[in-house]
Amino acid sequence: MAQKPSIPKGTRDFNATEVAKRTYIVDTIKNKFEVFGFQPIETPSFENSDTLMGKYGDEGDRLIFKILNSGEYLKKISDDDYSSKSEQKLTPRISEKALRYDLTVPFARYVVQHQNEIEFPFKRYQIQPVWRADRPQKGRFREFYQCDADVVGSTSLFQEIEFIQLYDAVFDVLNLKGVTIKINNRKVLSGIAEVIGAKDKLIDFTVALDKLDKIGKEMVKAEMLSKGISEEGVAKLQPLFELTGDFGDQIKSLKAILINSEEGLKGIEELEFINKATAEFKLKSAKLELDVTLARGLNYYTGAIFEVSAPEGVKIGSIAGGGRYDDLTGIFGLKDMSGIGISFGLDRIYLVLEELGLFPNTITAFTKVLFINFGETEAMACLKAVTKLREFGIKAELYPDKAKMKKQMNYANRRNIPFVVLVGGEELKTETFTLKDMNKGSQESITFNELLEKVN
RNA sequence: GUGGUUGUAGCUCAGUUGGUUAGAGCGCCUGAUUGUGGUUCAGGAGGUCGUCGGUUCGAGACCGAUCUUCCACCCCA
């Protein structure tokens, strides 16, 4: 035990079954991305630190894995810096590279760097691991995959509508019914903050509001007050806590609250348009829901904000997210380039499908037929048949050693191989194959063509 | 980063106020059955009790540190 090797906290090994299941999800997402017209790109797993640092807020900077410089990096440090014991001073001197924290910022960097080779609007998708020095919990890892699709260079609201359809299409194919696509709009939040006289406290205001369903309205109010939002302001929020009804009803109430905020009304208008269009196209199995408390990723979202939550009863935060960011590339010097993107959380979708038993059995079916090894002559004949079966794309293998029958049968049984073929002296003579169906326990003597048909 | 929690055989877990040689079920290996697995029966192997250090005549049990697990906060896929 003690000497056994291990892997770092928050990382995982994947066995064959797990890989098959993950591939199934990724392939589904990838297929839909391509059907919707997105093109794949990949970026390095690590970037220059200054590309990443400062893009995710202080909290984000803390969670970025830094890579130590190579060589005699300590010798270059002044004694002052060295003895300061200040991470802020020291870190940039000993680490100039960092593991990517998400796929959006590297994508923004990519767009700016390759702006002259790209046709806009540029639709790209990217499926790669990201790393966060977070403390792991269920569904939270330090290495995990994001599956992102983004469009830059178009402000059209049709993108929002298409992304809603894309979410719906992916979860429909995965047979994950009843997911809720929550939508909100930064402009609405900003408008509300304006109305209650807390425009400068937008982030504090939204972070508190975001916790509404978790800690209740009294706690939310208390948190807002503690962040310096006035009593009158908080009082004005009362109708917000009592929003009821469907999308349209909530829009009506919000309009009343936001009557004096130009920005807020703009946000409402956008939400109305998206809702109307989505209703017209009809979603296959997802529900679109307005959620004014939704406030994730506010560091860069400027318009629509999306979050997809698992069907009711599955306790695992969000399984996908996204939103519009009007000026993401601005930080890298390319102005007026609006973008919108969504991200699927592969690892969380996996946990949800697992919990609901939604993985098809077929995806974990590996070897279809195993040939028992009776010795060199028999094995040679078997290998010939195996080779032919493989030419037909059938997953077939020969047990490599002349082991005891029991051992070979056991091997097939444990690996869930559905068919076993026995070729001994008798079969060699008559050029037949004894095919055993491991599920039924029955067996029959057949020709190669019959074998091919049975196991195909 | 803050607070809490977990770690004993491959797996799931017992193990009394600190006391000889640490247990069970399942799994695994061998045989009954040398051309038949998943059922049955008989036998067998496997643990420096997460790691390091401390207290004690004596530690799986107590203390400290560290790693790991899970949870809450923060934040988030």
Side-chain angles (χ1 to χ4, degrees):
Chain A
M1 280 296 272
Q3 291 86 339
K4 264 191 190 169
S6 64
I7 54 176
K9 191 200 305 205
T11 65
R12 295 145 306 153
D13 285 328
F14 300 113
N15 64 29
T17 307
E18 289 162 339
V19 170
K21 289 175 174 178
R22 291 167 66 85
T23 307
Y24 161 72
I25 298 172
V26 168
D27 285 353
T28 303
I29 293 172
K30 203 187 271 186
N31 175 264
K32 287 299 171 193
F33 280 173
E34 290 183 0
V35 165
F36 275 69
F38 293 88
Q39 294 179 300
I41 69 161
E42 291 191 10
T43 64
S45 46
F46 55 96
E47 297 269 353
N48 293 324
S49 294
D50 51 15
T51 301
L52 304 180
M53 297 299 283
K55 308 300 191 295
Y56 310 99
D58 291 345
E59 193 63 27
D61 283 358
R62 204 196 77 216
L63 298 176
I64 292 173
F65 275 108
K66 286 106 189 157
I67 297 173
L68 217 47
N69 288 348
S70 311
E72 301 182 312
Y73 51 84
L74 281 184
K75 287 199 174 160
K76 298 173 191 158
I77 297 175
S78 71
D79 287 350
D80 269 4
D81 284 348
Y82 189 77
S83 55
S84 72
K85 292 196 177 176
S86 148
E87 286 84 7
Q88 247 179 350
K89 260 191 187 169
L90 222 46
T91 307
R93 312 261 164 158
I94 60 174
S95 162
E96 286 152 7
K97 301 172 288 299
L99 290 178
R100 69 168 165 252
Y101 177 85
D102 72 358
L103 300 178
T104 309
V105 168
F107 170 57
R109 191 224 81 222
Y110 178 97
V111 169
V112 175
Q113 198 176 325
H114 300 279
Q115 51 186 288
N116 296 324
E117 306 143 36
I118 291 173
E119 294 300 325
F120 293 99
F122 179 47
K123 300 174 74 170
R124 86 85 170 79
Y125 78 84
Q126 190 172 355
I127 298 175
Q128 290 189 277
V130 303
W131 295 269
R132 296 186 185 175
D134 208 353
R135 206 173 274 205
Q137 285 178 33
K138 186 180 182 187
R140 277 178 95 155
F141 306 98
R142 299 214 289 186
E143 177 184 61
F144 63 95
Y145 273 72
Q146 286 191 330
C147 313
D148 276 29
D150 291 78
V151 183
V152 278
S154 162
T155 53
S156 166
L157 287 176
F158 280 108
Q159 304 295 357
E160 273 81 343
I161 295 159
E162 284 200 50
F163 275 121
I164 290 169
Q165 291 181 313
L166 179 51
Y167 277 136
D168 184 47
V170 167
F171 290 120
D172 186 60
V173 172
L174 290 175
N175 208 19
L176 186 58
K177 312 285 185 193
V179 301
T180 306
I181 303 169
K182 296 186 204 161
I183 184 172
N184 195 9
N185 195 298
R186 159 81 175 239
K187 298 184 178 104
V188 170
L189 291 169
S190 189
I192 297 171
E194 184 186 341
V195 168
I196 65 168
K199 203 165 172 62
D200 56 327
K201 299 196 176 66
L202 178 64
I203 299 290
D204 284 338
F205 161 70
T206 50
V207 165
L209 186 62
D210 190 46
K211 296 178 188 164
L212 182 61
D213 61 337
K214 213 170 182 178
I215 62 177
K217 65 179 174 186
E218 293 312 318
M219 295 291 284
V220 168
K221 284 182 190 169
E223 182 167 333
M224 286 181 181
L225 289 172
S226 78
K227 295 286 184 186
I229 296 170
S230 70
E231 296 239 12
E232 304 94 289
V234 174
K236 280 188 194 160
L237 289 174
Q238 196 53 34
L240 199 61
F241 295 132
E242 283 154 14
L243 278 186
T244 50
D246 63 13
F247 207 110
D249 296 338
Q250 293 196 40
I251 288 280
K252 248 183 240 166
S253 321
L254 282 171
K255 258 187 195 164
I257 300 173
L258 291 167
I259 194 78
N260 290 318
S261 164
E262 194 186 330
E263 188 180 13
L265 290 176
K266 178 81 178 70
I268 292 289
E269 198 180 298
E270 290 182 14
L271 285 170
E272 267 183 314
F273 179 77
I274 293 163
N275 184 44
K276 226 172 88 188
T278 308
E280 197 147 319
F281 288 110
K282 290 219 169 53
L283 297 180
K284 292 190 182 78
S285 54
K287 297 192 292 266
L288 181 68
E289 212 170 72
L290 176 59
D291 182 356
V292 278
T293 68
L294 179 60
R296 301 299 165 89
L298 265 188
N299 280 322
Y300 43 77
Y301 292 145
T302 53
I305 302 169
F306 297 117
E307 184 170 297
V308 181
S309 52
E312 268 178 59
V314 184
K315 278 191 184 133
I316 189 154
S318 58
I319 54 175
R324 179 171 288 276
Y325 38 87
D326 278 332
D327 196 28
L328 187 71
T329 57
I331 48 178
F332 297 118
L334 183 61
K335 299 288 179 195
D336 297 324
M337 193 58 89
S338 185
I340 173 167
I342 62 171
S343 178
F344 290 87
L346 168 61
D347 300 274
R348 292 199 175 173
I349 292 170
Y350 184 104
L351 289 170
V352 172
L353 294 187
E354 190 76 288
E355 190 167 332
L356 298 176
L358 292 176
F359 283 110
N361 299 330
T362 48
I363 61 172
T364 49
F366 298 108
T367 296
K368 196 81 177 280
V369 49
L370 177 79
F371 283 66
I372 300 292
N373 190 331
F374 282 108
E376 202 177 308
T377 319
E378 293 88 342
M380 194 62 89
C382 286
L383 192 53
K384 274 185 197 157
V386 165
T387 306
K388 271 202 242 172
L389 288 178
R390 285 174 180 165
E391 278 165 14
F392 285 94
I394 293 159
K395 296 166 190 157
E397 58 182 297
L398 167 69
Y399 194 91
D401 306 300
K402 184 197 168 199
K404 278 183 185 163
M405 188 68 165
K406 178 169 176 152
K407 189 170 176 156
Q408 300 192 43
M409 292 299 283
N410 232 326
Y411 180 76
N413 193 46
R414 286 203 199 128
R415 284 186 52 198
N416 282 317
I417 298 174
F419 294 104
V420 164
V421 170
L422 299 93
V423 176
E426 196 54 38
E427 287 87 350
L428 274 185
K429 243 186 272 170
T430 56
E431 289 184 27
T432 57
F433 296 85
T434 296
L435 176 70
K436 172 154 183 158
D437 182 322
M438 292 298 278
N439 294 321
K440 291 181 192 154
S442 61
Q443 62 186 56
E444 56 190 330
S445 179
I446 55 178
T447 66
F448 180 80
N449 284 336
E450 287 168 328
L451 170 67
L452 178 59
E453 202 168 305
K454 291 268 182 190
V455 299
N456 206 347

